[in-house]
């Protein structure tokens, strides 16, 4: 039988799965830490793929999901967060030489969108927006049943849409992006700033605040924590309204760690969308929902890429 | 020979052209006022098409460019500015029954993008953004050599991207959209507001200010008029940065009446793009330019649609 290998690269873990044609359930699934002792992350990646290589089946292709800026057309990783040395890495070429099969590369948020469209919450939709809200905000867009990549494969950076010119600084160095207003990091930063300026909260004095802790505190009724999610949700909703006007999708899928706070984030999102939409035509048949795949999204997306 | 008929609908004029295969130069071109005496605009449209119908050639298709919200998949015009009575008009069906050829319908800004991509400034580009800056701001996007339409054909409303939440009110009834900050109307409104609040300008006391008059006044050195274009250009640039992050196109084409002010608008646009882009990768090989087609864009776009 023909098999596909899907790989998900992260700063802490490398994960690889072996899949038979048509199934999304791996025959083999291995996960190792990205960095360990003397072997380079690239050597460890090759070992990982070798460890799940099938004995009898033919491998049609390998696809790799990776974070950070990369060129999916040429299979080049420009940089990867937390993996030192991966700069302008010709990953596809390297793996093709190693394994003699075609190797495809994609941005993990893009591939999560592809996973949801092909096998998950977005099945049957032709125009889809996927947002992952965690420490940052990543995006993936399906237009006309195809992944939006753009001229150099850098498209769908939805987290880097300007929401407030001169707003809080984004991790990318530019002000007022959606990511700087509605990501987990943004939520924690805002709460810390409010506490520093004297706003009362049971979170005062806690260090290393996270969106998860703030969500738990909000659930217990803390006003500042609740306001932090109301604010983030409102800005996320304002961003989504623009994306609806720009893409007119039939589904918006919101995933990532921060989205697990549920209605705390999603209620203000829905309110901002209802209030901000320029015409109800954009909401006709529109679904706003959560993803089907959690931390498997990158891997399933890479699988989808091998079959695209 | 096979011929195509392209039609451009406006509130004041209806224009139709007859084209032979492969040529963008019309064999016949007629323009009439949309409303005149007792005939309805729809009757006048049918007469106009009849007047350019070829005697010997076969017509392969008719395509119609129209402003305002419409459904290109079903050929329905929801409403059209300045044409009373055109509400939920099944235009394609009506014209198909009349002429017995396929009839295609498109939003005029979308079709202007298609015109520039197929025959104009965007030839050879696969990912293109077109903006028309006039009384409003319209948009058209080519993704992967295809027009971005979305689930219901309402996509690419780039003028209705939120730039400043709670900013000035847009014509659509929502606050802070790009159109409310950088269109000709927005420029005139802002100048009027500044004059009303006491800012000195030679424009003080003038009624019915237009972006054209303000541009001429700016060219003569009037500070307020210059600032109005600096401000509009900056906001347009901020919007374009978001569109670059979202679509990663290789070309951005800026047309419409206000863009004829040239560097007055374009210098601050380019500055805002240079300053706001999150990575120079998005500017690699990027062209920001003016369109090849002026007020023929809708007609040529409709022609492109008949050949798509």
């Amino acid at each position: 039988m023909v098999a596909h290998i899907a790989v998900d690269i992260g700063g802490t873990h490398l994960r690889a799965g072996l899949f038979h044609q048509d199934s999304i359930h791996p025959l083999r699934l291995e996960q190792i830490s990205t960095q360990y002792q003397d072997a380079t992350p690239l050597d460890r990646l090759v070992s990982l793929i070798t460890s799940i290589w099938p004995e009898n089946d033919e491998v049609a292709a390998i696809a790799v999901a990776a974070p950070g800026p990369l060129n999916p057309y040429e299979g080049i990783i420009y940089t990867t967060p937390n993996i030192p040395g991966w700069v302008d890495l010709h990953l596809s070429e390297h793996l093709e030489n190693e394994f003699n099969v075609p190797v495809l590369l994609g941005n993990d948020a893009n591939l999560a969108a592809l996973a949801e469209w092909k096998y998950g919450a977005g099945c049957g939709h032709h125009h889809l927006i996927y947002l992952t809200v965690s420490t940052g905000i990543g995006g993936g867009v399906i237009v006309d049943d195809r992944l939006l990549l753009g001229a150099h494969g850098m498209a769908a950076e939805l987290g880097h849409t300007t929401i407030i010119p001169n707003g809080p600084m984004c991790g990318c160095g530019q002000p007022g992006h959606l990511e700087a207003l509605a990501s987990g990091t943004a939520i924690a930063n805002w709460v810390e700033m409010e506490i520093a300026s004297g706003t009362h909260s049971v979170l005062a004095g806690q260090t290393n605040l996270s969106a998860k802790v703030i969500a738990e505190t909000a659930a217990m009724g803390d006003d500042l924590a609740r306001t932090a999610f109301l604010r983030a949700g409102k800005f996320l909703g304002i961003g989504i309204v623009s994306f609806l006007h720009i893409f007119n999708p039939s589904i918006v899928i919101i995933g990532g760690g921060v989205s697990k706070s549920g209605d705390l984030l999603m209620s203000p999102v829905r309110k901002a969308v209802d209030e901000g939409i320029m015409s109800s035509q954009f909401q006709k048949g529109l679904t706003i929902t959560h993803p089907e795949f959690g931390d498997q999204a990158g891997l399933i997306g890479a699988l989808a890429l091998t079959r695209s």
Side-chain angles (χ1 to χ4, degrees), chain A residues 198-246:
Chain A
T199 307
H200 174 79
S201 167
V202 301
L203 291 165
Q206 285 201 30
T207 51
N208 292 322
L209 278 181
S210 69
K212 187 160 176 279
V213 167
I214 297 167
E216 289 160 3
T217 312
M220 295 185 304
D222 185 78
D223 271 348
L224 179 62
R226 290 163 59 112
T227 307
F229 273 86
L230 275 177
R231 181 179 170 274
K234 186 189 82 176
F235 287 126
L236 187 56
I238 287 172
I240 288 171
V241 166
S242 289
F243 305 147
L244 295 178
H245 294 164
I246 291 171

Side-chain angles (χ1 to χ4, degrees), chain A residues 75-150:
Chain A
I76 300 170
I77 290 180
Y78 294 128
T79 58
T80 302
N82 306 318
I83 308 187
W86 282 27
V87 176
D88 294 334
L89 176 69
H90 291 238
L91 184 73
S92 292
E93 190 184 343
H94 185 88
L95 295 180
E96 277 170 3
N97 289 340
E98 200 71 45
F99 295 105
N100 285 306
V101 298
V103 177
L104 304 161
L105 176 67
N107 168 292
D108 52 10
N110 284 356
L111 293 188
L114 196 67
E116 294 296 335
W117 167 74
K118 199 171 171 96
Y119 302 116
C123 269
H125 289 265
H126 310 297
H127 301 268
L128 172 155
I129 290 177
Y130 171 86
L131 287 161
T132 171
V133 186
S134 58
T135 52
I137 293 185
V141 181
I142 302 288
V143 171
D144 254 337
D145 291 326
R146 294 197 289 192
L147 196 56
L148 171 66
L149 291 174

Side-chain angles (χ1 to χ4, degrees), chain A residues 116-295:
Chain A
E116 294 296 335
W117 167 74
K118 199 171 171 96
Y119 302 116
C123 269
H125 289 265
H126 310 297
H127 301 268
L128 172 155
I129 290 177
Y130 171 86
L131 287 161
T132 171
V133 186
S134 58
T135 52
I137 293 185
V141 181
I142 302 288
V143 171
D144 254 337
D145 291 326
R146 294 197 289 192
L147 196 56
L148 171 66
L149 291 174
H152 303 291
M154 318 259 299
E157 286 290 358
L158 305 183
H160 300 284
T161 303
T162 299
I163 304 291
I164 302 182
N166 305 318
M169 198 52 75
C170 185
C172 75
Q174 293 291 346
H177 287 178
L178 181 57
E179 176 167 308
L181 292 160
S183 65
T185 311
I187 291 170
N189 287 347
W190 185 80
V191 167
E192 282 174 3
M193 226 174 55
E194 285 294 308
I195 289 172
S197 74
T199 307
H200 174 79
S201 167
V202 301
L203 291 165
Q206 285 201 30
T207 51
N208 292 322
L209 278 181
S210 69
K212 187 160 176 279
V213 167
I214 297 167
E216 289 160 3
T217 312
M220 295 185 304
D222 185 78
D223 271 348
L224 179 62
R226 290 163 59 112
T227 307
F229 273 86
L230 275 177
R231 181 179 170 274
K234 186 189 82 176
F235 287 126
L236 187 56
I238 287 172
I240 288 171
V241 166
S242 289
F243 305 147
L244 295 178
H245 294 164
I246 291 171
F247 289 109
N248 186 23
S250 53
I251 186 167
V252 178
I253 301 171
I254 303 174
V258 178
S259 73
K260 290 179 183 152
S261 57
D263 283 345
L264 197 59
L265 184 75
M266 290 310 295
S267 289
V269 165
R270 289 179 195 280
K271 185 161 176 280
V273 170
D274 287 343
E275 287 176 359
I277 204 78
M278 67 183 278
S279 152
S280 59
Q281 295 279 358
F282 287 94
Q283 290 179 293
K284 209 168 66 182
L286 175 68
T287 302
I288 299 181
T289 190
H290 51 82
E292 203 150 299
F293 305 111
D295 66 347

Side-chain angles (χ1 to χ4, degrees), chain A residues 26-96:
Chain A
L27 290 170
R28 295 182 196 173
L29 184 66
E30 289 287 339
Q31 180 176 306
I32 60 174
S33 56
T34 306
Q35 294 168 73
Y36 185 70
Q37 293 183 346
D38 288 346
T40 67
L42 193 53
D43 288 341
R44 291 181 60 76
L45 179 61
V46 169
S47 302
L48 175 67
I49 295 171
T50 305
S51 74
I52 63 159
W53 200 268
E55 280 149 40
N56 304 310
D57 298 330
E58 182 199 344
V59 173
I62 299 169
V64 180
L70 54 80
N71 186 326
Y73 300 122
E74 299 181 20
I76 300 170
I77 290 180
Y78 294 128
T79 58
T80 302
N82 306 318
I83 308 187
W86 282 27
V87 176
D88 294 334
L89 176 69
H90 291 238
L91 184 73
S92 292
E93 190 184 343
H94 185 88
L95 295 180
E96 277 170 3

